Structure formats: structure tokens, C-alpha cells
Amino acid sequence: MSALLLGGTGRWTDPWHPFADTNRALVDTAAVAGVPLTPVHDVDQALERFASGPLPDLVVWNLGLPRDDQPVPLPGADAGFRRLLHSTVPMLALHVSSTSFAGDPDWERALGGVWVRGVTMHPPSGPCTVRVVDAGHPVTAGLEDFALDDERYSYQRVSPDVRVLVDHAHEGRTHPLVWVHERPGGGTTVYSGLGHAAASFESAPHRRLLGQALRFLAGTAA
């Protein structure tokens, strides 16, 4: 299986997220799950290559939002980016990746939900408990509510068509954190608003959830 990690490197990083640590934790978690990930060192080049030739079997996104005043994606990478999103390639997207292609409707449709500037926020990062609301899916099978040290994204714009698996309570409301989304093009996306820093991956239930998500998505690959 060809499983690629499009992780935060170069212009796809930001000052708030330790991407080197979370990319490493994702690779380690995937190896334990039996779905080896190959990190991509140049995200723009990878997207450009997706314009023609074979696509990977699985893609994991763990990116920031470029702030270098260049287009997102770059013009040469746009065709490959669109081709991937409209394909049947299964995808796992984590945390701040919901901001990576801000304002792009294809990205929102592919993820099933996005961060909305001026609306979305998170309570202070730290120890917290999240709620498993659907343990009948392979991603959350055998899991109960669990604790971890993380940020909990709140008030994202989430499609009513997603299947919410994990949520949390904040300011008297429940907010989806992990969901499964069947993309318009036929592919499957799992999105998790968790995974801010390495501390998040110290939670065994969180690692189990991600491992099960990867195995589930690998099983949906064409």
C-alpha cells in the first residue's frame, strides 16, 4: 500500500503547532497499526505530481496554513490537488489541516467541515475528556470516553452529512471533533480535530482511535 503523509514542512508550518513532533507521532502510530506512512518532504511537489499518473492508496493530512503570500495551493499544484480531492483515495485529516486551504470549497467538501476565521476557536489547551458518541463504527469500535492533553476545536462549520464519532462540550454546546465523511467523488475522509502536539499522542485511546481510522481507511482503498 502507498500511504503518504502530507505533513507540515516548509511553508506548510506555523508558529503554534510542533509539526515535526506530530508528524513523527503519526508515523509511529501508523506503523503500530500496520499501515506504514511515507512522509512527503515537499508538499507542493507532491500535489503537483498528483495531476497525472497513479495516485497514492491513502493520504494523511497534517498541515498548517501557508502565510507566505503565495497561492494555496500553488498554481502548478492546483490540478493535482483537485484531482486528489475528487478521487476515491481515502484520506485522514488532523487538527489544523481544516485551515490549510482556507476558503476553498473543494477542501471543505472533501473534509466535511472546516475552521471558520472569527467563529471557530478552542478552549485552552490542556487535560480534557472527549466523548465517544458512536462506538458502532470501526474507527471508534471498543472505545469509550477518553482523556488526553489537547486542544478541542469548537464551532467549526460541519456538514450535516458527516457521521460524528467523537464530540466534546463547551459553552453549553456539543461540538463535533471526529467524524467520517463520504465525499461527493466517492472517497472516504476521516477528520479529527485532535492532535495539536505530541502530548495528544500520549493518550493510548487516542492512538487506538487513529490506528483504527487508518486501518478502516486502508480497507476502503480501491
Side-chain angles (χ1 to χ4, degrees):
M1 161 165 283
S2 170
L4 298 184
L5 169 61
L6 301 184
T9 59
R11 74 188 193 110
W12 296 91
T13 60
D14 63 43
W16 307 284
H17 296 89
F19 288 105
D21 295 340
T22 55
N23 290 337
R24 189 179 308 112
L26 279 168
V27 169
D28 292 345
T29 300
V32 171
V35 185
L37 283 180
T38 300
V40 167
H41 299 292
D42 190 318
V43 172
D44 296 297
Q45 284 186 4
L47 294 176
E48 187 171 346
R49 288 195 299 268
F50 292 160
S52 61
L55 291 170
D57 298 312
L58 172 65
V59 170
V60 177
W61 305 85
N62 184 44
L63 301 170
L65 169 65
R67 291 170 168 82
D68 55 3
D69 297 324
Q70 296 188 74
V72 182
L74 293 175
D78 190 76
F81 173 68
R82 308 291 164 195
R83 182 179 177 227
L84 175 64
L85 296 190
H86 291 284
S87 75
T88 59
V89 173
M91 306 192 316
L92 171 64
L94 270 75
H95 197 58
V96 72
S97 299
S98 67
T99 73
S100 299
F101 300 89
D104 191 302
D106 283 343
W107 184 241
E108 182 168 355
R109 283 190 288 267
L111 260 60
V114 289
W115 178 287
V116 180
R117 189 176 299 277
V119 175
T120 307
M121 52 78 71
H122 58 78
S125 184
C128 58
T129 298
V130 298
R131 185 175 67 148
V132 176
V133 294
D134 184 351
H137 192 278
V139 171
T140 42
L143 287 173
E144 299 178 344
D145 300 355
F146 61 91
L148 73 171
D149 188 323
D150 212 333
E151 289 180 346
R152 293 163 292 156
Y153 279 5
S154 308
Y155 302 105
Q156 295 207 94
R157 183 167 61 225
V158 180
S159 166
D161 297 328
V162 307
R163 179 172 173 176
V164 178
L165 305 179
V166 176
D167 69 11
H168 78 101
H170 179 62
E171 296 181 336
R173 290 180 51 177
T174 57
H175 304 269
L177 273 174
V178 181
W179 61 74
V180 180
H181 177 52
E182 298 302 324
R183 305 199 302 271
T188 301
T189 297
V190 174
Y191 172 78
S192 172
L194 300 170
H196 174 74
S200 174
F201 295 85
E202 294 174 5
S203 166
H206 185 205
R207 292 196 306 274
R208 176 174 173 177
L209 181 148
L210 291 172
Q212 292 181 171
L214 287 163
R215 286 195 295 270
F216 163 70
L217 290 169
T220 71

